Amino acid sequence: MFYEDYNSAQKQYANGIYQIKQDTYNPKVDIQNEPALHMNKVSLSFRFTFSKEGNLLEKIEESSKGKSKLQFFYNNSNQLIRILKSELNTNKLLGETTISYNGNNKVELETYTEYEPFNSIKIEQQKHNYYENKETIRYTSDSDLFENGTYTVCYDDKNRIIEEKLERDSDGIVYWNKFEFDEKKKIQLKLLISMKIQVKLNYVTLKL
């Protein structure tokens, strides 16, 4: 789990609520009998626990593969610095993420260590660099299952994303998105996709 995933989980917090349970359902249409829409529960659920200040302390994940627990630790400045992942029932350590910050209190380096079967270890890192309105994240791993690459994101003066690009070392640009805003808060998305030599450019207008 990296900082971006933590931010998504932290957004589950609602003021004054210390624990939230989230279940997953899939829709299913019954066409054999009288037509009806049913919601089937999927074997995937989450339970979030927060401190009285609203900080995420624990996340329980339950799926068909088992139950795991994520614990979150903060420094004296209330910055997330460590995440531990373990099996819920045995407390066996499955993985660990450490996070460091630069002098401007922005995330600088994330290191995820996964403890695989037979005591093998897989390490992934995300190195953050900042320049004016641009942030670049360099992804690296010692695993053959993970491709190294670079993610770049640019912001406007209102801290809205206006451009994002993902590149893999092996095959170049994966996607390249540009966003434009007008006075009515409409957003225009320019999607640029490069597949080796062939380049496609699409325009989509979305309403916020």
Side-chain angles (χ1 to χ4, degrees):
M1 186 180 207
F2 287 101
Y3 195 83
E4 182 180 357
D5 305 307
Y6 160 78
N7 271 338
S8 298
Q10 180 65 48
K11 290 178 181 178
Q12 300 294 324
Y13 175 72
N15 189 31
I17 297 178
Y18 300 147
Q19 194 169 93
I20 298 173
K21 185 176 181 182
Q22 186 180 83
D23 295 319
T24 304
Y25 293 84
N26 279 343
K28 181 180 179 181
V29 178
D30 185 355
I31 58 175
Q32 294 182 348
N33 303 308
E34 183 177 351
L37 178 64
H38 303 282
M39 299 299 292
N40 293 340
K41 184 176 180 180
V42 181
S43 57
L44 177 64
S45 64
F46 306 97
R47 188 169 71 246
F48 304 92
T49 301
F50 301 88
S51 68
K52 62 181 181 180
E53 294 81 18
N55 289 330
L56 181 61
L57 299 178
E58 187 177 82
K59 178 185 177 184
I60 304 295
E61 300 179 356
E62 300 182 23
S63 70
S64 57
K65 297 181 180 180
K67 300 179 181 180
S68 61
K69 176 174 62 176
L70 292 168
Q71 295 173 287
F72 303 86
F73 301 88
Y74 303 83
N75 60 18
N76 293 333
S77 300
N78 208 32
Q79 294 173 319
L80 179 71
I81 56 173
R82 192 182 186 200
I83 305 171
L84 291 182
K85 182 177 183 178
S86 59
E87 290 183 353
L88 182 62
N89 297 326
T90 65
N91 286 326
K92 178 183 177 181
L93 187 61
L94 301 175
E96 177 180 7
T97 301
T98 57
I99 302 170
S100 60
Y101 299 81
N102 62 19
N104 294 319
N105 293 321
K106 292 183 177 181
V107 175
E108 184 174 51
L109 180 65
E110 303 174 66
T111 302
Y112 173 65
T113 305
E114 182 176 303
Y115 304 102
E116 299 177 332
F118 310 109
N119 296 321
S120 60
I121 295 177
K122 180 179 71 175
I123 298 177
E124 298 177 13
Q125 283 192 328
Q126 294 186 8
K127 173 68 174 178
H128 298 247
N129 287 293
Y130 306 89
Y131 179 73
E132 294 182 345
N133 69 328
K134 179 186 294 187
E135 178 183 2
T136 301
I137 305 174
R138 174 65 181 167
Y139 301 86
T140 58
S141 174
D142 62 359
S143 171
D144 294 334
L145 300 176
F146 185 90
E147 293 196 47
N148 298 338
T150 303
Y151 174 72
T152 304
V153 58
C154 298
Y155 302 89
D156 63 10
D157 55 1
K158 296 182 180 179
N159 204 35
R160 299 176 300 192
I161 294 177
I162 56 174
E163 184 176 347
E164 59 177 1
K165 179 169 62 174
L166 177 63
E167 301 173 86
R168 283 198 295 251
D169 292 357
S170 60
D171 54 7
I173 295 176
V174 179
Y175 63 80
W176 188 356
N177 297 330
K178 293 186 179 182
F179 305 89
E180 295 178 356
F181 300 85
D182 63 20
E183 296 79 4
K184 296 180 181 180
K185 295 185 178 179
K186 291 182 180 179
I187 178 174
Q188 185 180 49
L189 166 63
K190 297 180 180 179
L191 175 59
L192 176 64
I193 302 177
S194 173
M195 298 296 292
K196 295 184 179 178
I197 299 177
Q198 184 179 11
V199 177
K200 297 180 180 179
L201 182 62
N202 299 320
Y203 297 89
V204 179
T205 299
L206 305 173
K207 290 184 178 180
L208 295 181

